[in-house]
Amino acid sequence: MRFTTAFAAFSAVALINPSNAQQYAGDVIQNTLPGVPGAEIAYWKIKDTKSSNLTLINYHNYGKNGKRQDTTKVKRAVVIIHGLNRDPGTYQSNMLSALAQVPLSEINTDSVAIVAPYFSNGNDKNIGYPWVEGLKAGQGSISNALVWPGSQWSAGGNNQYPWTSSKNISSYAVLDQMIQYFDNKAMYPNLNQIVIAGHSLGGQTVQRYAAIGQPGNVQTPVSYWVGNPNSLVWLSTDRPLSTASCPTYDNYREGFTKFADYPMTYGLSLVNSGRANILANFNSKAINWARGTQDLGDDSSSCAPGTAGANRNERFFNFIKAFPVSCADSTSGNCDTVDFVNAGHDGGAMMASAAGQARLFIDNWSGNGTRSPDYGYPRQQVGDDPFPNPGLNGSSSAINNNTYAGNMTYQGCWSDQSIRTLSNMTYQGSANTIESCTAACDSGNNTIAGLESGNQCYCGSRLGYMAQPVIDSSCASPCTGNASEICGGGNRLSLFSNGSPIVNAAPGTPEVIGSDW
């Protein structure tokens, strides 16, 4: 189905300042974007210093009667950011499906506004025209359609098109304007919550926006739902894993070095004020982390994400360890949550889960701050339960409490990289078990045993200086000799030691000998 209807200006738009962004007021752009039942393709007028009539294509849901919503009935606005494939229709459809599964009748398409903006890029245009995928040259007004280069929209980059007017529109400025639009109490007098949500690359977009976003003096509480991002902008210059082979590890988008070189004009003053202020800005936001426990993948195209963890799962846990989540007051507008969902890299499943429904639609529904505690027990890491469920917060992941040869006990999952954590591979074989490895190491007068990739056994008495503990779930390979036991993972060691393992100190910089020598 194709939506090409020319939309008249929505009558309620007259209630807001015409200098602000307006839904339904942008140029109508002919397109062949897929139709979504229960929603329309709309055109948002985005304000710029040089042009008041730039257009962002987006999906917006209808009310229960199949018509545009009565804004006085809307109590919640959700802006859902698409992923790398730039498929806002899919995300709109998934959100509407999740909304339909909410078990509270008053939470429905009359009372929830769902918007899926389309951050199109240069691949979505015909040569010589700033028209997005499916737009037909010469039909309708196309000169003011917003288009971004590559995936730079995911980090706040400025628009590439239209070339006839300003190129100063950051995708984050677009989100600012959307928040300000829904925060207008003349139009949405009963709105209690605004949610900025994203999954995958959309999740990266939301996390980076939460770090440097400053939407202004907003009355309505805003929360940020971050689902399974592949990487995260780091809020300090250090990393949990080695940066030696990745000189660009801290460049923006992964850190804030060379931020001014990124093609954007948003957030410069905040970033120039220092990382402490960026961290304070991030910590002032209510972040709803959504972690699919089966999502152990990695789609990195550079070395930088690998300095924060081997995959999406490890990076997430390393991030919240470095920058702790908190919920000092669950009724306030600044309560972080961490939800574990039994799903892979599946945005629809994350949204439709009980945790997804709570964060996206139910929390603070009546404006009194009521929200659900963290979902998904047992927990996996100290500090991953900012808003505990009182009946479940004592539970944690099963830990190996056994004692093995040489009085060795489990010390967690550790990284194994160059320099190797344990350099002596004692054996590799199909009969590998924790018992056999610890016994082999003990018989060689070693105090540490490490099992990797299911079939490898390493021994030693000290760990290489680059060794770092990581989340236990990074060690998930069954032992080849006993599938009920875990023997590390790819470049990850299940570590057993007699006492706490000692990590070698990093080598120092050699002294410079004077020129006379």
Side-chain angles (χ1 to χ4, degrees):
M1 184 186 300
R2 185 176 67 171
F3 286 78
T4 57
T5 305
F7 300 134
F10 187 33
S11 60
V13 169
L15 296 173
I16 68 173
N17 188 326
S19 66
N20 293 332
Q22 297 180 35
Q23 178 67 300
Y24 310 113
D27 292 340
V28 173
I29 299 173
Q30 297 291 329
N31 64 83
T32 55
L33 290 171
V36 174
E40 64 178 321
I41 296 173
Y43 307 98
W44 203 305
K45 184 170 77 172
I46 299 298
K47 177 67 177 175
D48 180 52
T49 55
K50 296 184 179 180
S51 172
S52 60
N53 196 29
L54 299 177
T55 296
L56 179 79
I57 301 174
N58 66 98
Y59 289 83
H60 194 130
N61 65 296
Y62 287 124
K64 292 169 65 177
N65 62 1
K67 300 179 181 179
R68 289 182 182 166
Q69 294 172 312
D70 177 349
T71 58
T72 65
K73 295 181 179 179
V74 175
K75 300 182 69 173
R76 195 179 198 88
V78 183
V79 179
I80 179 66
I81 313 300
H82 57 67
L84 179 65
N85 292 331
R86 304 180 308 284
D87 50 349
T90 299
Y91 281 72
Q92 182 77 15
S93 179
N94 284 339
M95 287 290 289
L96 286 170
S97 175
L99 175 60
Q101 297 174 58
V102 174
L104 300 172
S105 60
E106 68 269 28
I107 301 178
N108 53 57
T109 53
D110 278 345
S111 54
V112 178
I114 301 173
V115 173
Y118 183 24
F119 292 111
S120 59
N121 72 14
N123 293 328
D124 300 330
K125 67 178 181 63
N126 197 10
I127 295 174
Y129 291 92
W131 54 311
V132 292
E133 182 179 1
L135 299 188
K136 293 185 176 181
Q139 295 185 10
S141 175
I142 61 173
S143 61
N144 288 316
L146 282 167
V147 181
W148 280 265
S151 296
Q152 291 174 4
W153 52 268
S154 66
N158 284 0
N159 64 304
Q160 180 180 19
Y161 299 107
W163 61 72
T164 56
S165 58
S166 172
K167 297 181 181 179
N168 296 320
I169 294 294
S170 162
S171 56
Y172 291 171
V174 169
L175 296 180
D176 283 352
Q177 293 188 38
M178 288 185 163
I179 290 173
Q180 293 158 5
Y181 173 82
F182 284 115
D183 187 53
N184 189 320
K185 296 303 180 184
M187 174 174 280
Y188 290 95
N190 297 306
L191 197 78
N192 293 323
Q193 186 73 39
I194 299 171
V195 181
I196 306 298
H199 181 266
S200 193
L201 188 58
Q204 295 183 47
T205 306
V206 175
Q207 189 264 342
R208 293 185 176 97
Y209 177 60
I212 63 173
Q214 295 179 301
N217 186 20
V218 177
Q219 302 176 60
T220 309
V222 181
S223 56
Y224 301 80
W225 188 77
V226 181
N228 294 332
N230 191 68
S231 68
L232 299 155
V233 65
W234 210 260
L235 306 175
S236 64
T237 57
D238 62 343
R239 295 295 186 276
L241 301 178
S242 173
T243 62
S245 61
C246 189
T248 59
Y249 78 95
D250 194 53
N251 287 0
Y252 191 73
R253 312 173 335 155
E254 314 305 329
F256 288 98
T257 300
K258 295 188 177 181
F259 182 82
D261 294 345
Y262 202 77
M264 64 189 293
T265 53
Y266 190 95
L268 283 171
S269 60
L270 173 61
V271 173
N272 288 339
S273 71
R275 308 240 179 169
N277 289 332
I278 300 172
L279 179 59
N281 188 59
F282 184 76
N283 285 339
S284 71
K285 312 291 177 55
I287 312 296
N288 301 140
W289 296 100
R291 173 97 283 275
T293 56
Q294 304 303 314
D295 182 16
L296 307 178
D298 173 37
D299 295 321
S300 301
S301 57
S302 74
C303 59
T307 66
N311 54 39
R312 286 187 281 270
N313 188 63
E314 199 170 286
R315 288 168 205 147
F316 164 75
F317 284 103
N318 284 340
F319 185 89
I320 65 169
K321 181 178 179 180
F323 310 104
V325 289
S326 66
C327 180
D329 179 2
S330 64
T331 63
S332 73
N334 185 21
C335 174
D336 298 333
T337 57
V338 174
D339 299 322
F340 298 139
V341 178
N342 185 20
H345 199 66
D346 184 338
M350 298 296 291
M351 296 172 200
S353 68
Q357 292 178 32
R359 309 309 173 206
L360 296 169
F361 305 117
I362 302 174
D363 285 357
N364 194 37
W365 175 254
S366 299
N368 60 2
T370 301
R371 69 191 75 248
S372 296
D374 294 330
Y375 283 83
Y377 288 83
R379 308 308 282 184
Q380 299 191 31
Q381 175 176 284
V382 173
D384 69 1
D385 202 5
F387 184 21
N389 185 317
L392 299 172
N393 65 326
S395 63
S396 61
S397 295
I399 298 297
N400 185 339
N401 293 314
N402 297 328
T403 300
Y404 297 91
N407 205 34
M408 295 186 199
T409 57
Y410 182 61
Q411 301 296 322
C413 185
W414 287 66
S415 66
D416 189 22
Q417 53 195 327
S418 181
I419 304 294
R420 300 303 297 262
T421 297
L422 291 169
S423 58
N424 176 25
M425 182 193 286
T426 302
Y427 68 79
Q428 176 175 325
S430 60
N432 191 31
T433 65
I434 298 172
E435 291 81 2
S436 64
C437 183
T438 52
C441 293
D442 179 54
S443 67
N445 296 319
N446 298 284
T447 59
I448 303 174
L451 300 99
E452 184 169 322
S453 299
N455 64 345
Q456 298 172 1
C457 174
Y458 292 82
C459 299
S461 293
R462 300 175 72 95
L463 304 182
Y465 73 89
M466 297 180 74
Q468 293 288 338
V470 297
I471 182 68
D472 271 347
S473 55
S474 288
C475 287
S477 296
C479 298
T480 52
N482 184 350
S484 67
E485 296 180 344
I486 296 299
C487 287
N491 295 316
R492 294 295 179 264
L493 288 163
S494 293
L495 208 67
F496 297 82
S497 174
N498 183 345
S500 298
I502 298 174
V503 180
N504 287 329
T509 302
E511 290 186 38
V512 177
I513 300 176
S515 58
D516 289 348
W517 294 94

